[in-house]
Amino acid sequence: IVRIREALHFIQASDRDTWVKMGMAIKSEAGDAGFDVWEAWSLQDESFNSKDARDVWKSIRTNGKVTAGTLFHEAKANGWRDDGTHQKPTPEELAERQRIAVERAVQEEARTVRERAVAAKKTAAIWKAGTEPVDNPYLVRKQVSPVATLREIGADAAAAILGYVPKSSGEPLTGRLLVAPVKIGDALSTLELIDADGRKSAIYGGAKAGGYWAAQPLPEGNGDGLTLLIAEGVATVLTAKE
């Protein structure tokens, strides 16, 4: 970590691609204990946003191709010289890093729980405000029929409930949005909004892992004798169903 911190002095945080790549490199080497190093370095750029940093960090997987070697290569290209003077951390330093990592994990878990609760409330509000998706533009374009487990809502109405404009890759969703609810068990967790052009956006903070949407109500019982068709994407499911 000391070596990484020294090398970062030679790298600018203003370029977003570089900023994300350095986050990937640090996390691959230090795991969540490296977030403080990345955040401290990120603060040199005036556009730094702590919420954005947390979201990007959470999305980074530690088994990618970008490693600490990438960071050191970038630093050397900008004049850093690795003189090998970094010291092996003491047991006390290692214990402190572990304490910080555990503390951060607890904080992140608490924040995730809060965000999921807010997302679930917004999901329920949008579902309640939605209407039957008769001749919904997205379904019409995909040439599939609506089902009772879907709703639609205007983009402006959805934004009013969410408190922000839903976007996909930076592009705002527009028009009549198809609403596909996501359940975990029997509880609504989040939902996917889809506009006529196929742009999709899920509610920020909603839990999706382990969630599902079904094209029709699932039958009671333990599933004996039931053939269940599983697919990815609303239009794919509806096409296969038909």
Side-chain angles (χ1 to χ4, degrees), residues 85-201:
T85 58
H86 54 279
Q87 300 295 316
K88 182 178 180 180
T90 65
E92 291 76 16
E93 289 173 329
L94 289 172
E96 176 63 9
R97 292 179 192 175
Q98 180 65 21
R99 183 194 67 78
I100 292 172
V102 170
E103 184 178 275
R104 182 170 299 283
V106 170
Q107 293 172 347
E108 284 296 312
E109 178 62 23
R111 188 174 66 86
T112 297
V113 169
R114 291 194 301 270
E115 289 178 350
R116 288 183 175 179
V118 171
K121 288 182 179 179
K122 292 179 178 179
T123 294
I126 287 179
W127 183 254
K128 184 177 180 180
T131 59
E132 186 180 349
V134 178
D135 68 9
N136 177 269
Y138 178 73
L139 297 181
V140 169
R141 186 165 69 83
K142 291 293 186 177
Q143 301 182 48
V144 291
S145 303
V147 291
T149 57
L150 292 171
R151 295 285 189 275
E152 76 168 27
I153 191 171
D156 291 342
I161 293 172
L162 294 173
Y164 62 86
V165 176
K167 296 181 179 181
S168 174
S169 301
E171 291 290 325
L173 273 59
T174 59
R176 293 160 55 193
L177 309 181
L178 188 68
V179 179
V182 176
K183 287 185 175 182
I184 296 180
D186 293 326
L188 279 176
S189 172
T190 185
L191 53 79
E192 187 173 70
L193 300 170
I194 311 173
D195 71 6
D197 294 323
R199 289 185 289 252
K200 302 174 183 179
S201 178

Side-chain angles (χ1 to χ4, degrees), residues 214 216 218-219 223 225-231:
Q216 62 277 312
L218 296 178
L226 175 68
T227 298
L228 189 65
L229 178 66
I230 300 175

Side-chain angles (χ1 to χ4, degrees), residues 48-101:
F48 173 76
N49 180 287
S50 59
K51 179 179 178 300
D52 184 33
R54 291 196 306 269
D55 291 342
V56 170
W57 185 263
K58 284 180 64 177
S59 71
I60 293 173
R61 301 290 177 261
T62 56
N63 56 353
K65 295 182 179 180
V66 179
T67 66
T70 304
L71 185 152
F72 296 138
H73 177 81
E74 183 74 18
K76 288 177 180 178
N78 287 282
W80 178 61
R81 294 294 177 265
D82 185 5
D83 58 10
T85 58
H86 54 279
Q87 300 295 316
K88 182 178 180 180
T90 65
E92 291 76 16
E93 289 173 329
L94 289 172
E96 176 63 9
R97 292 179 192 175
Q98 180 65 21
R99 183 194 67 78
I100 292 172

